[in-house]
Amino acid sequence: MAFDATRGFAAFAVLAYHIGHAVGLPLFASGYLAVDFFFILSGYVLQKAYAQRLESDLSFVAFVRLRLVRLYPLFAMGVALGIARALGAIAIGDPRAPSVPELAQQTVLNALMLPAQIGSDGIFPLNTPAWSLSLEMAINLVFAAVLFRASRRWLVAICVAGAVGIGFAATQFDSLDQGWNLSSYWVGVCRVAFGFTMGLWLARLNMVHSARFALLVPVILLFVLAMPRGNIPAAYDVLIVLVIFPVMIVAMEGAVITGPLRTLFTWLGDISYPLYAVHYPLLIPIGLVVKRLHFGPWIAAAVMFLGAIVAAMIAAHLDRLIRKRLQSPPDQGMKRRAVA
């Protein structure tokens, strides 16, 4: 349950980071690092949930189907919202809008979870954060093909290679907020390679310890993602990703949450992926509305925040309906922990 809370807080940090950029406020200045936390947590949870099944009764094709059912409906909703936003921009004559042929190309490639570098809006111009979801799906495929049975030595080697790439990227860009455009796509590959394999390695350690400090982890996560970048942002990013996040994952293992917090943490876990998947395409149209109404930056930020939450809750409901139709009866009985 502590994992649910951190997923939710991380998604809210990403939302706040993007809203801050939209309205010119310093909100969660390190929120982009939540992506690295997601990668580590994903590796950890998938190792625990699927590794033994892949060794025994779960085929590669069946695993891919499970992951697509989990990831793609909300991914597609984000792309659809991006298409609607682009069509609106074309209709009002926005000079930043793509041409119709460009939009068609973007739609085909992004809907297939493939990059489409057209213009300056990154490799997923219809929904910029989708670059990380594309890499998540790719590393899931690699996991089911080879990583679930890879030796610890190989996992460490991939981890180290990814860490070296992350360190080099931090020095080159002075930030790890990279991977969303073509020129820095290699940074995204390093981030997912390190994060996911670190999660796999941590899960295989099977460490037994007291989880009494687990409730502090979501609070610490919010703190580190909200920290201003300071005078040594590159060093801060590397320290958080390579050291602090893995320690947080280990600290949460075995935590059992009861009482009112259980309900809150469950909601945070349920809303995290819908919020991450659909919020970005909505910020520009909501921003245009609040600009016309002459709202100040803090009021505008609050409106964007609430609008994104409402949209995420609607998306979560639609996602449940779609997955219920797509899932076969055996899949519906899977443990909640398999939902990463």
Side-chain angles (χ1 to χ4, degrees), residues 1-7 9 37 44 209-222 247-258 261 265:
M1 301 300 291
F3 288 144
D4 289 334
T6 53
R7 271 205 303 262
F9 286 156
F37 184 83
Y44 189 90
H209 60 87
S210 170
R212 59 183 174 177
F213 297 114
L215 285 177
L216 292 177
V217 174
V219 178
I220 296 171
L221 178 65
L222 281 178
V247 171
M248 287 181 176
I249 297 293
V250 172
M252 287 186 292
E253 175 59 27
V256 178
I257 311 300
T258 59
L261 278 180
F265 284 12

Side-chain angles (χ1 to χ4, degrees), residues 105-168:
Q105 185 179 349
Q106 291 171 357
T107 299
V108 171
L109 291 174
N110 282 183
L112 293 173
M113 290 186 149
L114 296 174
Q117 180 70 55
I118 301 171
S120 59
D121 291 328
I123 54 179
F124 282 85
L126 298 178
N127 185 16
T128 301
W131 71 268
S132 62
L133 303 179
S134 171
L135 286 176
E136 169 70 17
M137 190 66 217
I139 199 69
N140 281 197
L141 299 181
V142 177
F143 167 71
V146 294
L147 287 180
F148 77 92
R149 63 163 69 96
S151 67
R152 290 186 181 181
R153 181 177 299 179
W154 272 107
L155 292 184
V156 170
I158 297 170
C159 244
V160 170
V164 170
I166 285 173
F168 179 73

